[in-house]
Amino acid sequence: MLLKGENISFGYNKGSLVLDNVSIAIAPGEVVGLLGPSGCGKTTLGRILAGYQLPEKGVVTIDDKPLPTVGFNPVQLIFQHPERAVNPRWQMRKTLNEGWHPSDDLLEELGIEKQWLTRWPNELSGGELQRFCVARALGPETQFLIADEMTTMLDAITQAQIWQVVMRIVRERNIGMVVISHEAHLINRLCSRVVDFKNINSPDLFLV
Amino acid sequence: MTDKKDSTAENSPAYTSNEMLLEVENLSVAFRQYNKGLQQMDLKVISSLNAAVKKGEILAIVGSSGSGKSLLAHAILGILPKNATVTGSIKYMGNELTTKDQERLRGQEIVLVPQSVNFLDPLMKVGKQVRTSVRNENPVEAQRRVFERYQLKQSVEGMYPFQLSGGMSRRILVSTAMVSGAKLVIADEPTPGLDPKIVDEALLHFKGLAESGCGVILITHDIETALKVADNIAVFYAGTTVEVAPVADFSGTGQDLRHPYSRALWRALPQNEFIPIEGVQPLPQNLPCGCFFQPRCERATASCAEKQPEAREIRDGMVRCIYAS
Amino acid sequence: MINTTDTNTRPSSGILTMMGLNRRQRTIITTAVIGILLLSIILGGLLLSNERITTNLEARNQAPSFSHPFGTDWLGRDMLTRTIKGLTLSIFVGLIAAAISTIIALVLGIAAATMGNRVDTIVTWLVDLFMSIPHLVALILIAVALGGGMRGVVIGVALTHWPSLTRVVRGEVLQLRSTEYVQISRRMGKSRWWIAAQHIVPHLIPQMLVGLVLLFSHAILHEASITFLGFGLSPHQPAIGIILSESMRYLSVGMWWLAFFPGLSLLIIVRLFDILGDNLRKLMDPYNAHS
């Protein structure tokens, strides 16, 4: 069962494509890194793979079927700025339980303290909010996880904490993972396969 | 680090010298806030913060969000919001910085380089924007000279910001700081989420500013950025400076670092061990007693919880830890 | 040593500041006082007996005095009682009209933002159309077309006051729909209705409430103006507009109080509603909560 993006093209302006006929496939349990400078289209590819954006050309399939448009999406995306990814008028408990009810074990593993559940988003730091976003995305139906600069805005310790847990869970549940980052050190540390966006125009390079 | 002279003054740390440009000592910033209901309370967001920068030196300030690093910049420039109370001392060229001084020096001798190139005036030609910052000399000459230095063609003068690439815009921002004759440049997260090439380029500009005699404060959450150009690195934690160290001490397993938090931060980098310590940085509302890092520290003892450790000078650096050596 | 403590001195609320209250406390007190004042006017209007406004020819054309603070008119009716009853009627008309307007704005705004391009174009066009016609002209046209009276005024005011709020709602909803947390909600398998109810409407309610109160003052003023011009409420109803237009005939004989006090009262009420709306907005804005 693969997550596949086939012959994907996308452009924000007419005439210039950010992604030109790109193909990619991710297997369960695999950790793929997308490395490249800002503006190279890696975020756009992540959004398309998670169904946040429709490609101009090409298809995204999971298990050879198109991505579902209703119901819990098996491809979950975690954003760079956690403070934008939670409703500022919701208590954290509601945000956490929006898609499913994470177990106490998971919360403990992620370092989410019980007292944070009754807080409002503006009372928590970026690192704390991002833990909630991770927990929210790890529902039982999640088969692929896309982390778009997930820890770029966080300090090194929080970054290492979050990745340690995420990698363990991904391994345990055989989740396929896409790590989008501009940081080569992080990508090299985490990924079994790296797609460098410098070579993006030779799509055969990263078909599995 | 180039030359380090031992200072004779009693209270000034050993890593200072007589060319000291800016000295921040025991700075605290509190915000008046409403807690639940109608009571107001003062929330101390920064407490006992220290930082110092000499002429021609780059001080990097490293800390996670909420560690108070941006507030330091705002406090130096005097642009904190109205509900903030500042105590402690900020000395500029040896004199206490008053609100009046700040207004006078802001944008003249003390310049902020903003995060985003969106701070350029979109309706003004960039050559003119740079010229308006020149004070003591012929504006056109100064602007041409600085453009040459940053490899900007003369035709760029007549362009508007939207015609420039990101890298060029950033060079314009730095040029503006250069020609203003600024003595102190504060850069607040100048390279957020940029790819390494652009980061390196931007950092080179700051290096250039320092070489021309400026003091530079580089605020970032990313140690790697700091390592590339800084002379000293100040590590912030929960609104306080836990350590100031020469950049060379950030190497190996972090054995030369003075504070357990700096060491943990260093070890958690993906290119090092990528092993985190447990716990989270406390919020200003519930700071632990004694040393703020004590609940997460492997070396903590009962005496760590008694009071906040005083700043001590050790090996050309500063540290707030009673066990540091 | 630099010290930039802000003592927060706004001259207008000097007394409350002196009492050592912070801004939020002051705002709440001001809001409560205004609320009570407005309520007591409504209650006064409902409870005051009609006795003082029946014809009493012995007390005709009296200047303001202790027993008749606002004076009496050419039929000996007490102007204070008439004014309060008039204001009460105005407030009711305003409330109904403003409420209908707000509901129209909410429905059209959400529809424009969520039901596709065609609906959006139509709503935007309608908003532009209504905004390009002067309020009062549209109001008179509608009121006259509906045969005037209470019904004409209410519908007229309601139908002319929704455009600006609709624009606000549309913008808000569009912005909310593009936020990451709403997009994530979709991928969490939430339905459109669930997202509207949980993410979008709670965000709009405070704004609607503020919009309602701010519309209110407009509605009252416009009700009074078209009644004054003779297109609104019928002359036997004790409306402020009626009082004012009647008084015009007596101004030239020196009975200044007939217009002065009711006019002043109307002005004060409108201003009070404005302050109330502004205060509500301040209290509800979470980003403004800390200063």
Side-chain angles (χ1 to χ4, degrees):
Chain A
M1 194 193 59
L2 296 174
L3 173 64
K4 273 196 276 192
E6 286 168 284
N7 307 101
I8 287 172
S9 296
F10 188 86
Y12 289 98
N13 307 313
K14 280 209 171 108
S16 74
L17 291 176
V18 182
L19 300 170
D20 191 0
N21 200 25
V22 171
S23 296
I24 188 169
I26 302 111
E30 192 185 22
V31 182
V32 181
L34 300 189
L35 184 66
S38 56
C40 69
K42 55 191 199 301
T43 291
T44 309
L45 183 58
R47 288 176 61 87
I48 289 174
L49 285 176
Y52 280 78
Q53 205 139 37
L54 287 177
E56 278 169 25
K57 284 186 205 131
V59 280
V60 177
T61 57
I62 181 167
D63 206 8
D64 291 323
K65 289 187 280 282
L67 274 185
T69 52
V70 289
F72 195 95
N73 195 329
V75 186
Q76 287 290 324
L77 178 64
I78 299 173
F79 290 80
Q80 178 175 6
H81 299 281
E83 57 279 0
R84 293 190 209 151
V86 300
N87 189 333
R89 287 168 189 267
W90 280 14
Q91 256 182 5
M92 291 316 298
R93 182 190 301 279
K94 192 168 174 184
T95 297
L96 181 69
N97 293 322
E98 189 170 1
W100 67 296
H101 294 274
S103 67
D104 285 356
D105 292 342
L106 179 65
L107 298 191
E108 208 189 304
E109 223 180 333
L110 278 166
I112 295 173
E113 288 173 24
K114 276 272 174 318
Q115 47 162 336
W116 297 353
L117 296 178
T118 51
R119 298 257 181 87
W120 301 94
N122 65 355
E123 297 171 315
L124 295 176
S125 72
E128 287 155 4
L129 290 175
Q130 195 64 291
R131 291 163 206 260
F132 279 92
C133 295
V134 171
R136 178 175 61 175
L138 283 172
E141 293 158 65
T142 305
Q143 289 158 358
F144 291 92
L145 199 60
I146 299 175
D148 182 9
E149 303 277 7
M150 180 170 79
T151 52
T152 301
M153 306 312 284
L154 311 179
D155 65 286
I157 293 179
T158 314
Q159 163 168 288
Q161 284 177 338
I162 291 181
W163 277 114
Q164 210 177 40
V165 183
V166 168
M167 294 312 280
R168 188 161 63 227
I169 294 170
V170 162
R171 223 169 289 135
E172 269 169 26
R173 290 175 41 187
N174 205 28
I175 290 175
M177 175 102 208
V178 178
V179 183
I180 300 174
S181 179
H182 66 275
E183 250 182 284
H185 290 302
L186 183 69
I187 295 265
N188 293 338
R189 185 53 95 157
L190 297 169
C191 303
S192 48
R193 183 158 63 95
V194 179
V195 176
D196 197 326
F197 262 65
K198 277 179 205 138
N199 312 322
I200 196 69
N201 287 325
S202 38
D204 313 326
L205 274 178
F206 39 90
L207 257 173
V208 174
Chain B
M1 291 300 302
T2 47
D3 59 331
K4 264 168 269 159
K5 298 170 202 162
D6 278 346
S7 168
T8 45
E10 252 187 350
N11 285 326
S12 58
Y15 57 91
T16 68
S17 79
N18 44 12
E19 339 162 73
M20 191 54 69
L21 192 59
L22 184 89
E23 221 175 338
V24 178
E25 264 178 78
N26 290 321
L27 183 81
S28 294
V29 176
F31 284 101
R32 175 148 295 193
Q33 290 202 324
Y34 295 96
N35 46 9
K36 302 224 167 60
L38 296 171
Q39 293 306 304
Q40 268 183 332
M41 58 169 225
D42 284 333
L43 186 64
K44 220 176 196 182
V45 185
I46 285 186
S47 46
S48 338
L49 199 91
N50 296 49
V53 62
K54 288 185 289 188
K55 284 180 187 163
E57 186 189 84
I58 300 183
L59 171 75
I61 293 178
V62 173
S64 55
S65 67
S67 62
K69 54 196 195 321
S70 289
L71 287 175
L72 172 67
H74 294 179
I76 294 170
L77 290 159
I79 51 172
L80 286 168
K82 278 187 167 180
N83 59 335
T85 317
V86 181
T87 56
S89 115
I90 300 178
K91 275 190 191 154
Y92 177 69
M93 312 253 271
N95 299 318
E96 209 61 66
L97 201 58
T98 63
T99 314
K100 256 205 187 125
D101 292 335
Q102 288 175 323
E103 268 169 43
R104 187 168 49 83
L105 298 172
R106 198 189 303 154
Q108 307 280 329
E109 286 187 25
I110 305 180
V111 173
L112 181 75
V113 176
Q115 297 196 7
S116 160
V117 292
N118 296 336
F119 281 81
L120 288 170
D121 182 343
L123 299 176
M124 203 197 269
K125 289 180 180 163
V126 291
K128 198 167 172 208
Q129 294 197 39
V130 172
R131 274 173 226 161
T132 50
S133 302
V134 183
R135 286 175 309 139
N136 296 328
E137 38 188 338
N138 182 329
V140 181
E141 272 175 30
Q143 174 256 314
R144 298 240 160 104
R145 206 169 53 238
V146 78
F147 270 33
E148 203 170 316
R149 168 159 186 182
Y150 285 120
Q151 289 140 36
L152 292 161
K153 289 197 196 101
Q154 200 162 337
S155 59
V156 177
E157 270 177 38
M159 291 187 177
Y160 289 94
F162 77 92
Q163 295 170 295
L164 306 180
S165 73
M168 280 158 96
S169 306
R170 209 159 278 110
R171 273 181 269 170
I172 300 288
L173 278 177
V174 179
S175 304
T176 313
M178 281 289 281
V179 297
S180 67
K183 296 200 171 109
L184 177 65
V185 173
I186 303 173
D188 189 1
E189 297 274 9
T191 57
L194 297 176
D195 61 289
K197 225 183 190 169
I198 304 178
V199 170
D200 287 349
E201 196 189 276
L203 292 180
L204 269 182
H205 299 326
F206 291 116
K207 194 87 194 164
L209 279 174
E211 273 159 11
S212 69
C214 258
V216 178
I217 297 180
L218 183 67
I219 297 174
T220 176
H221 72 278
D222 183 13
I223 288 195
E224 273 181 82
T225 310
L227 287 176
K228 283 177 187 154
V229 288
D231 299 298
N232 286 309
I233 295 183
V235 180
F236 281 21
Y237 182 77
T240 190
T241 324
V242 292
E243 171 165 358
V244 181
V247 74
D249 290 356
F250 287 84
S251 62
T253 57
Q255 69 280 353
D256 292 339
L257 293 169
R258 294 152 192 78
H259 198 280
Y261 175 70
S262 330
R263 226 171 285 140
L265 202 60
W266 177 248
R267 291 178 57 184
L269 287 175
Q271 61 270 46
N272 297 333
E273 291 160 59
F274 205 43
I275 299 169
I277 52 162
E278 293 200 354
V280 294
Q281 176 175 271
L283 292 172
Q285 293 90 309
N286 40 10
L287 289 175
C289 49
C291 171
F292 294 157
F293 186 63
Q294 151 268 122
R296 298 172 74 185
C297 184
E298 48 181 18
R299 297 176 68 185
T301 58
S303 41
C304 289
E306 273 164 22
K307 68 192 233 313
Q308 202 187 1
E310 294 292 321
R312 294 191 295 145
E313 294 113 54
I314 294 175
R315 291 183 283 117
D316 290 330
M318 184 283 273
V319 65
R320 278 182 196 277
C321 173
I322 51 176
Y323 294 115
S325 57
Chain C
M1 189 78 53
I2 45 171
N3 202 328
T4 51
T5 317
D6 178 49
T7 43
N8 222 331
T9 39
R10 256 197 339 185
S12 58
S13 44
I15 299 170
L16 293 176
T17 311
M18 272 191 281
M19 287 164 66
L21 297 171
N22 62 44
R23 200 169 93 191
R24 191 187 289 190
Q25 285 167 328
R26 292 199 303 269
T27 313
I28 288 181
I29 290 175
T30 321
T31 312
V33 168
I34 293 174
I36 290 169
L37 203 69
L38 292 173
L39 265 181
S40 55
I41 288 174
I42 297 172
L43 280 179
L46 293 175
L47 297 177
L48 277 178
S49 73
N50 284 333
E51 204 177 298
R52 287 173 72 83
I53 51 167
T54 47
T55 312
N56 177 2
L57 296 176
E58 283 164 37
R60 280 176 4 162
N61 300 341
Q62 285 183 358
S65 66
F66 197 68
S67 56
H68 299 288
F70 284 15
T72 61
D73 65 5
W74 65 99
L75 292 172
R77 294 178 291 190
D78 179 48
M79 286 308 289
L80 176 62
T81 314
R82 284 194 80 194
T83 302
I84 289 180
K85 282 194 174 287
L87 286 176
T88 306
L89 185 70
S90 288
I91 291 174
F92 271 119
V93 172
L95 181 67
I96 298 169
I100 297 175
S101 255
T102 310
I103 292 168
I104 295 175
L106 192 64
V107 171
L108 286 184
I110 293 180
T114 55
M115 288 170 70
N117 276 339
R118 191 171 301 171
V119 179
D120 190 26
T121 314
I122 295 171
V123 171
T124 313
W125 183 79
L126 274 177
V127 169
D128 288 342
L129 178 73
F130 270 84
M131 299 239 317
S132 63
I133 310 172
H135 258 177
L136 212 54
V137 175
L139 189 50
I140 291 171
L141 282 175
I142 296 172
V144 169
L146 289 167
M150 178 80 121
R151 200 175 60 123
V153 172
V154 170
I155 296 177
V157 173
L159 286 185
T160 46
H161 285 73
W162 55 270
S164 51
L165 197 56
T166 304
R167 202 174 260 187
V168 172
V169 173
R170 175 180 171 272
E172 260 327 300
V173 176
L174 280 179
Q175 189 260 325
L176 281 171
R177 278 187 34 160
S178 69
T179 59
E180 289 177 1
Y181 57 84
V182 168
Q183 297 190 10
I184 289 171
S185 199
R186 294 279 301 152
R187 305 300 176 295
M188 292 278 154
K190 299 300 179 191
S191 68
R192 278 170 190 277
W193 284 112
W194 194 91
I195 290 173
Q198 300 292 326
H199 280 291
I200 293 180
V201 172
H203 192 96
L204 293 177
I205 284 177
Q207 306 210 2
M208 287 296 97
L209 209 65
V210 173
L212 176 78
V213 177
L214 290 176
L215 272 187
F216 217 95
S217 46
H218 269 255
I220 292 175
L221 261 186
H222 279 135
E223 179 272 318
S225 359
I226 68 159
T227 305
F228 177 83
L229 293 172
F231 304 109
L233 302 179
S234 54
H236 67 268
Q237 277 164 318
I240 286 284
I242 300 286
I243 295 174
L244 288 175
S245 68
E246 282 175 357
S247 68
M248 290 299 119
R249 272 177 275 156
Y250 297 87
L251 268 186
S252 52
V253 293
M255 291 162 68
W256 54 272
W257 57 89
L258 290 185
F260 180 74
F261 288 112
L264 187 67
S265 309
L266 178 67
L267 208 68
I268 290 172
I269 293 292
V270 167
R271 186 73 194 108
L272 285 182
F273 270 112
D274 252 352
I275 299 174
L276 192 67
D278 273 344
N279 279 354
L280 283 177
R281 195 178 57 208
K282 274 184 211 154
L283 289 174
M284 284 177 179
D285 182 3
Y287 305 106
N288 200 13
H290 292 317
S291 51

